[in-house]
Amino acid sequence: VAVLSVILTFGLCFLGAIPIALLWRSRVARVVALGVASFGLLVLAFQVLGCLAAVTGAALVTRGGALIASGVLCAVAWGVRRARRPRPELPTRWPPLEDRTRAWLALGVIVVGAFLAFAAASGLSAPPRGWDILSYHLPRAMSWLLHGDLGPRGSTGAFYPGNAELPILTLLFSGSDRLVPVVQLPFALLAGVALFGLARAIGASIRSSALAALVLTLSPIVFFQSTIAKDDVVVTALVLAGAMFLLRSLRARAGARERTQEIAAAGFALGLALGTKYSILPYVFGSAPLVLLVHYVRARGGPGAPRAQRAWRPAAVFVVAAAIPSLFWFARNAIHTGNPIEPLPLGPGQWGAWESPGFELQFVPRPSLWWIFPWIDRQLVAGYNGAAGYGAAFGALFLPGLILCARAIRSRVRHYERATLLIAMALGVAGWWFGKFHLPRLLLPVVALACAPIALVFDAVTRGARRALIVLLAVALAFSAAETLRITFLGRDITWTHRGRVDHREFYRMPDLIYELPAGTRILLLEPSSDDLYKTYRYPLVGALPGNDVVMEDDVGVGMDLAARGAVLGHIDLHAHAIDYVFMRIQTHRPRETWFDAYPHLYEKVVDLVEPGYPWYREAYSVDADGEIVGRALVATQMYRVLPRPTGIGWEGAPSEPPRP
Amino acid sequence: MSQTADQDHRGGGSGRPEPLGAVSSWLLVVVSCSLLVLYLVLHAREIRLILAWLGSP
């Protein structure tokens, strides 16, 4: 029943998306619209349930709630479709493709399919892994599953927008997290199709557009992201879809239903991305004025309403459509904290205090050299992984593509579309730079946009030069694929090492007790050191689904300062928040005492272990002063049961005289 | 048929960039090759690792 409900929830969202996708006549636009609308319906279903849960206080974000909400949305979509019939302008068939083009497309689909199938096998080889995934992506979905709402919880990522966690939440309804690592895989496919459609929208041929799509879908970063439950491929696919619909809107007549439809789809896709990741804020804030600008320029000399009026309407449609799937998260944050983009600084006056964490130094020797990243392309220490790897083909071809795209503006062929794409990329890079995090993976949506003009290179050159470029593309893709396979088979990435033979207990190295506690047991994960590795224990502490309710210090307002409060006050605080256990784990080579040990009448030590930690994560290795790995790190794990408050206890924790009989 | 639909059915043909001459085309190939060579030079360590991996039993 659990698995069936998951299939039904996803299936109903897909079914509801069909009548929406049928509004488009182009094959590629239909496929992209189908993907965007399916995800959109799932997101809207949960957001409606989240609003109702917040108002009523009832646990509504559950399996049954998701099923009912997606069913209602599916019925509404089909009802609207039925009400719109008849639609005589719909074409009944498309012109057939040439045999050679069909063969090219089939070959591309087979290559991409094989690559992503291997990514799927790699992703499914072990339980969910990775710092972001274990410290907040999965724990957030778990907390929503346990509490039946979409509330903010945890010391990390509590207030981030959460659209990408909603498919994860749906998968967790099955009682298993087996499929969670490959949750981005469908979005990798969607990104490939959307990129194909984007290249077509700037005037490229079918074959060249397919080649451009290969540059992105066969890149190492897409492969490695497709094996972990991050969200960079999700937002990349949605930005590509939004850009494709935006450029298509420029070809439609002003005031025509098609234009409104394309603009609304562009806004909705980018709104879904905005509701997924804060890094998309600059893209969306930049794209709304861009829509206004390009439609104002495009409206020059046309008949009908004044030019400004014709430009305002699509911009308004765009903003409203973008707000629909994203507003929920910002409203939720505003209600909880007063800041819709918590924990980011709200006012421009505070932005100066927002320091760069210096993440770019993991990738380039100096921050000012960030622009060489397409040719360095990997983490300086770790190599290709989900944080890096645009691939050799991108490094070789994107600059010629941009040059040709700019040249084609001058020639006034599809110049609105090409100029819009170039401006969007410039805005994206500027937004990434001012965003200060400077992680290359946050630039992936712009990289994906920059893949589209590569198709123009193949179209513009002579036949002989085109053949040479195709050989070059094949060499570049082969190099990146070889390095991807080498890392997967040999590296410490370990996505392939276990081949599905490892379970949670062996992989996460958590005490057996974690798996034996009744569902909903509250465990406080303490921060025993400044090392952020402790946050990655947040999901492993869940144990067997439906799992324990793992809370962090910000949830309960108490943490390692418990000792400073005194044992009794701390004990009272823990009881006030219904904490059953406290858990701490640090890297050390010897057993250690904690202040909990001094109060055995308040805290019962139930786990005290020193053993090797995660076998798969970089922080699990001890390094010397030069940063060289010297061996597996040992971790000390302590877990205490919070005992019932004894009667007659003194203020400082010392038992007072026993009550007289 | 609307312009959007027209675009879909015409494919990209009508919007293809102006074809480059032979010299410009091969110049573009040279630029792309140079960028790929630059990339591969910067990834010399990875190439050595791949060759070692392929050569290992």
Side-chain angles (χ1 to χ4, degrees):
Chain A
V1 173
V3 174
L4 192 64
S5 66
V6 174
I7 294 170
L8 271 176
T9 304
F10 282 128
L12 283 172
C13 292
F14 185 78
L15 205 62
I18 290 173
I20 299 167
L22 288 177
L23 295 172
W24 275 266
R25 296 160 199 171
S26 146
R27 278 172 282 206
V28 63
R30 277 189 180 179
V31 175
V32 175
L34 190 64
V36 172
S38 300
F39 182 50
L41 289 179
L42 186 77
V43 164
L44 291 180
F46 275 113
Q47 290 186 356
V48 168
L49 291 173
C51 289
L52 292 174
V55 172
T56 63
L60 291 172
V61 182
T62 57
R63 195 161 60 209
L67 203 55
I68 292 167
S70 53
V72 168
L73 285 176
C74 174
V76 168
W78 279 98
V80 170
R81 164 85 181 159
R82 194 172 176 80
R84 291 180 72 94
R85 283 178 181 170
R87 297 171 47 81
E89 76 274 22
L90 275 176
T92 52
R93 65 179 58 183
W94 289 285
L97 297 174
E98 295 171 36
D99 286 346
R100 213 168 154 202
T101 302
R102 199 191 300 268
W104 271 86
L105 286 177
L107 183 65
V109 168
I110 289 169
V111 170
V112 171
F115 196 68
L116 294 183
F118 182 65
S122 177
L124 295 171
S125 64
R129 55 215 170 257
W131 195 94
D132 295 32
I133 290 103
L134 299 183
S135 62
Y136 65 92
H137 286 302
L138 260 168
R140 293 202 309 160
M142 272 307 306
S143 82
W144 297 338
L145 179 72
L146 282 170
H147 293 268
D149 60 23
L150 298 179
R153 292 184 191 87
S155 301
T156 300
F159 294 97
Y160 293 172
N163 284 348
E165 280 82 8
L166 297 176
I168 296 176
L169 173 61
T170 310
L171 288 171
L172 293 178
F173 288 153
S174 68
S176 164
D177 59 9
R178 186 85 186 155
L179 293 176
V180 166
V182 293
V183 72
Q184 290 202 93
L185 207 57
F187 292 94
L189 280 173
L190 178 62
V193 179
L195 176 54
F196 177 86
L198 185 64
R200 296 283 289 152
I202 59 170
S205 67
I206 291 177
R207 291 181 212 169
S208 299
S209 301
L211 290 175
L214 290 182
V215 173
L216 179 71
T217 46
L218 300 184
S219 64
I221 190 169
V222 169
F223 175 89
F224 286 112
Q225 284 262 348
S226 298
T227 66
I228 51 175
K230 282 193 181 184
D231 53 14
D232 297 281
V233 174
V234 176
V235 294
T236 298
L238 294 168
V239 167
L240 280 170
M244 185 198 84
F245 289 124
L246 176 59
L247 297 199
R248 288 172 56 86
S249 75
L250 296 173
R251 302 287 293 174
R253 283 193 308 270
R257 187 186 61 80
E258 281 84 359
R259 191 180 74 163
T260 307
Q261 180 179 309
E262 304 283 4
I263 282 286
F268 189 74
L270 285 170
L272 279 171
L274 180 61
T276 298
K277 205 170 179 69
Y278 276 146
S279 63
I280 298 300
L281 274 166
Y283 293 75
V284 178
F285 285 159
S287 58
L290 180 64
V291 172
L292 185 64
L293 173 73
V294 295
H295 277 279
Y296 183 77
V297 175
R298 184 79 179 87
R300 186 171 49 199
R307 190 177 172 193
Q309 193 177 326
R310 279 182 285 156
W312 271 112
R313 192 171 167 210
V317 170
F318 178 87
V319 170
V320 170
I324 291 171
S326 61
L327 196 62
F328 171 85
W329 304 107
F330 302 109
R332 182 199 68 168
N333 291 352
I335 291 167
H336 279 274
T337 69
N339 177 5
I341 55 171
E342 178 77 16
L344 302 182
L346 181 60
Q350 299 169 295
W351 290 351
W354 187 6
E355 293 298 329
S356 168
F359 287 143
E360 63 267 54
L361 292 175
Q362 298 173 18
F363 304 91
V364 289
R366 288 200 303 277
S368 59
L369 289 175
W370 64 270
W371 55 273
I372 65 169
F373 188 77
W375 299 284
I376 286 190
D377 186 45
R378 79 298 208 200
Q379 266 185 308
L380 295 175
V381 175
Y384 283 168
N385 54 43
Y390 301 152
F394 179 78
L397 292 166
F398 85 98
L399 271 184
L402 294 182
I403 292 167
L404 274 187
C405 195
R407 171 181 170 272
I409 293 171
R410 205 185 53 198
S411 69
R412 304 187 71 79
V413 178
R414 300 262 174 147
H415 53 296
Y416 287 120
E417 288 91 331
R418 290 168 188 170
T420 305
L421 183 62
L422 288 175
I423 295 170
M425 279 186 262
L427 285 173
V429 173
W432 176 83
W433 176 252
F434 286 109
K436 293 198 173 180
F437 268 69
H438 299 174
L439 280 167
R441 66 186 171 87
L442 302 186
L443 204 52
L444 187 60
V446 180
V447 167
L449 294 178
C451 287
I454 291 173
L456 299 180
V457 179
F458 290 103
D459 276 340
V461 296
T462 58
R463 179 173 293 188
R466 186 180 306 131
R467 284 180 182 153
L469 282 175
I470 290 173
V471 171
L472 181 144
L473 176 69
V475 170
L477 291 177
F479 168 76
S480 294
E483 179 61 357
T484 301
L485 293 175
R486 187 193 70 80
I487 290 171
T488 304
F489 282 118
L490 283 186
R492 273 209 317 276
D493 186 82
I494 313 290
T495 50
W496 191 248
T497 303
H498 299 290
R499 295 187 186 86
R501 289 195 301 257
V502 62
D503 65 5
H504 284 59
R505 283 180 199 240
E506 185 185 346
F507 198 68
Y508 291 142
R509 301 287 175 99
M510 280 292 150
D512 287 343
L513 174 66
I514 294 297
Y515 298 91
E516 292 154 8
L517 298 171
T521 299
R522 292 201 105 191
I523 301 174
L524 172 62
L525 170 60
L526 288 172
E527 179 185 353
S529 68
S530 58
D531 183 349
D532 266 358
L533 183 63
Y534 86 95
K535 291 178 181 172
T536 65
Y537 306 135
R538 191 174 167 196
Y539 180 70
L541 280 174
V542 163
L545 296 181
N548 306 310
D549 184 11
V550 183
V551 298
M552 298 180 79
E553 297 184 4
D554 286 351
D555 293 316
V556 293
V558 292
M560 289 306 286
D561 62 344
L562 274 168
R565 291 165 184 241
V568 175
L569 275 182
H571 193 260
I572 291 170
D573 283 340
L574 292 176
H575 266 282
H577 291 100
I579 301 297
D580 300 305
Y581 292 88
V582 292
F583 176 96
M584 67 181 90
R585 172 179 274 184
I586 63 166
Q587 278 186 250
T588 181
H589 291 275
R590 60 181 71 88
R592 63 184 200 130
E593 290 276 304
T594 74
W595 69 265
F596 290 104
D597 293 319
Y599 303 96
H601 56 294
L602 300 179
Y603 307 99
E604 179 194 0
K605 185 180 262 185
V606 288
V607 174
D608 189 13
L609 291 170
V610 177
E611 58 181 356
Y614 288 159
W616 53 273
Y617 198 68
R618 62 179 185 276
E619 271 88 352
Y621 292 83
S622 295
V623 294
D624 61 17
D626 297 325
E628 291 297 317
I629 291 173
V630 294
R632 180 86 66 77
L634 292 176
V635 291
T637 304
Q638 273 116 8
M639 193 166 165
Y640 297 85
R641 188 162 75 91
V642 182
L643 296 172
R645 194 182 168 203
T647 54
I649 207 161
W651 185 250
E652 291 306 320
S656 58
E657 288 184 6
R660 294 174 189 274
Chain B
M1 188 177 288
S2 75
Q3 287 182 23
T4 310
D6 190 32
Q7 171 200 4
D8 299 334
H9 290 271
R10 274 207 311 265
S14 65
R16 287 192 192 185
E18 286 177 7
L20 295 170
V23 174
S24 301
S25 293
W26 284 104
L27 191 62
L28 215 55
V29 173
V30 170
V31 170
S32 298
C33 277
S34 305
L35 291 172
L36 180 60
V37 169
L38 169 69
Y39 182 97
L40 294 176
V41 167
L42 290 170
H43 287 73
R45 178 175 163 271
E46 279 76 15
I47 293 172
R48 280 199 300 274
L49 291 169
I50 291 169
L51 292 175
W53 173 54
L54 293 175
S56 62

